[in-house]
Amino acid sequence: ETGVTQSPTHLIKTRGQQVTLRCSSQSGHNTVSWYQQALGQGPQFIFQYYREEENGRGNFPPRFSGLQFPNYSSELNVNALELDDSALYLCASSQVTTRTYKNTGELFFGEGSRLTVL
Amino acid sequence: GNSVTQMEGPVTLSEEAFLTINCTYTATGYPSLFWYVQYPGEGLQLLLKATKADDKGSNKGFEATYRKETTSFHLEKGSVQVSDSAVYFCALSAWLKTGGYNKLIFGAGTRLAVHP
């Protein structure tokens, strides 16, 4: 089984630029979530996608946007980058079923994309 | 609201010492609870989980018991190894809507350093 893969692994941008991060979900998973992990902190929920629609959103401004594609892969886009956007961006996938008793909430994470904004 | 509080690190231990990392939570309803581990330069790996009160999650010698009465999920290991050096995150599952859609709420993480 293929795990969650993310690209690029590292990138450097300057303030005001735009960035796109990509994620391929684990085989068999239909839901993708994105998290931001600032240095020395726990991951913070950005948003989740299910069936190509945003399913929930954390406390992040609209310049953080995303997409999910029919093959369940996903993109995270950040516009007008700010210095505080420097962080490790983690993608996580899961399989959500209509049999809700089977949904334990477990997420499977990729290794992340480390973004540095100068 | 939902939140997770972990003991601050770093925790520094000698090899074969006993480990406890405290985790308490605040939540509405009955969340699932998780411990994730992050090795240097890597993403998060699930270490163990518990989905209901009194469940004990265990993996690789680590254990944690879901204690509803004390709202706690402390991580323990009887004998740590140098290879256990990592950052450990406690997390709870908060449901976005009915139907199983969820987000994880993480604690700030506890860094563990094990010396030979």
Side-chain angles (χ1 to χ4, degrees):
Chain A
E1 137 184 303
T2 306
V4 178
T5 58
Q6 293 186 239
S7 63
T9 54
H10 295 81
L11 68 168
I12 300 173
K13 293 285 187 178
T14 56
R15 196 169 47 182
Q17 286 189 312
Q18 178 266 343
V19 68
T20 297
L21 307 178
R22 295 178 175 81
C23 171
S24 293
S25 60
Q26 182 166 313
S27 177
H29 286 182
N30 58 13
T31 302
V32 173
S33 304
W34 287 90
Y35 289 77
Q36 180 195 65
Q37 185 180 14
L39 196 63
Q41 298 182 23
Q44 300 292 316
F45 175 71
I46 302 176
F47 42 54
Q48 181 183 91
Y49 279 83
Y50 173 72
R51 291 187 176 178
E52 302 176 51
E53 291 189 358
E54 187 179 288
N55 191 51
R57 189 177 184 93
N59 189 26
F60 282 82
R63 59 190 184 84
F64 285 77
S65 64
L67 287 172
Q68 185 182 33
F69 300 100
N71 66 352
Y72 305 123
S73 65
S74 177
E75 287 183 354
L76 165 66
N77 299 289
V78 187
N79 294 322
L81 284 167
E82 301 177 359
L83 298 180
D84 285 349
D85 295 333
S86 295
L88 181 67
Y89 289 85
L90 295 164
C91 173
S93 71
S94 59
Q95 175 63 15
V96 173
T97 79
T98 55
R99 299 178 181 178
T100 57
Y101 66 91
K102 288 191 172 184
N103 296 323
T104 63
E106 179 179 349
L107 299 182
F108 296 81
F109 286 84
E111 297 203 349
S113 294
R114 185 165 297 281
L115 170 65
T116 302
V117 182
L118 303 176
Chain B
N2 298 308
S3 66
V4 175
T5 302
Q6 288 181 237
M7 64 185 286
E8 288 190 18
V11 173
T12 304
L13 296 173
S14 298
E15 206 165 24
E16 299 184 1
F18 185 85
L19 169 70
T20 300
I21 300 178
N22 290 337
C23 170
T24 58
Y25 67 90
T26 302
T28 54
Y30 303 98
S32 296
L33 300 175
F34 305 87
W35 278 99
Y36 280 83
V37 59
Q38 187 173 37
Y39 297 100
E42 299 185 10
L44 299 175
Q45 300 177 25
L46 178 67
L47 182 59
L48 54 83
K49 67 183 180 187
T51 58
K52 61 183 187 296
D54 299 325
D55 267 2
K56 177 185 283 189
S58 61
N59 185 29
K60 300 181 182 179
F62 291 89
E63 293 184 340
T65 301
Y66 190 149
R67 301 287 188 198
K68 182 171 176 290
E69 63 276 12
T70 55
T71 61
S72 65
F73 193 54
H74 304 321
L75 182 68
E76 297 182 336
K77 186 175 185 182
S79 177
V80 293
Q81 305 300 313
V82 173
S83 57
D84 293 327
S85 298
V87 181
Y88 292 81
F89 293 94
C90 184
L92 67 82
S93 181
W95 303 107
L96 293 169
K97 60 175 72 170
T98 57
Y101 315 106
N102 74 288
K103 64 178 179 180
L104 291 182
I105 294 174
F106 288 88
T110 302
R111 182 174 299 279
L112 170 66
V114 180
H115 299 290

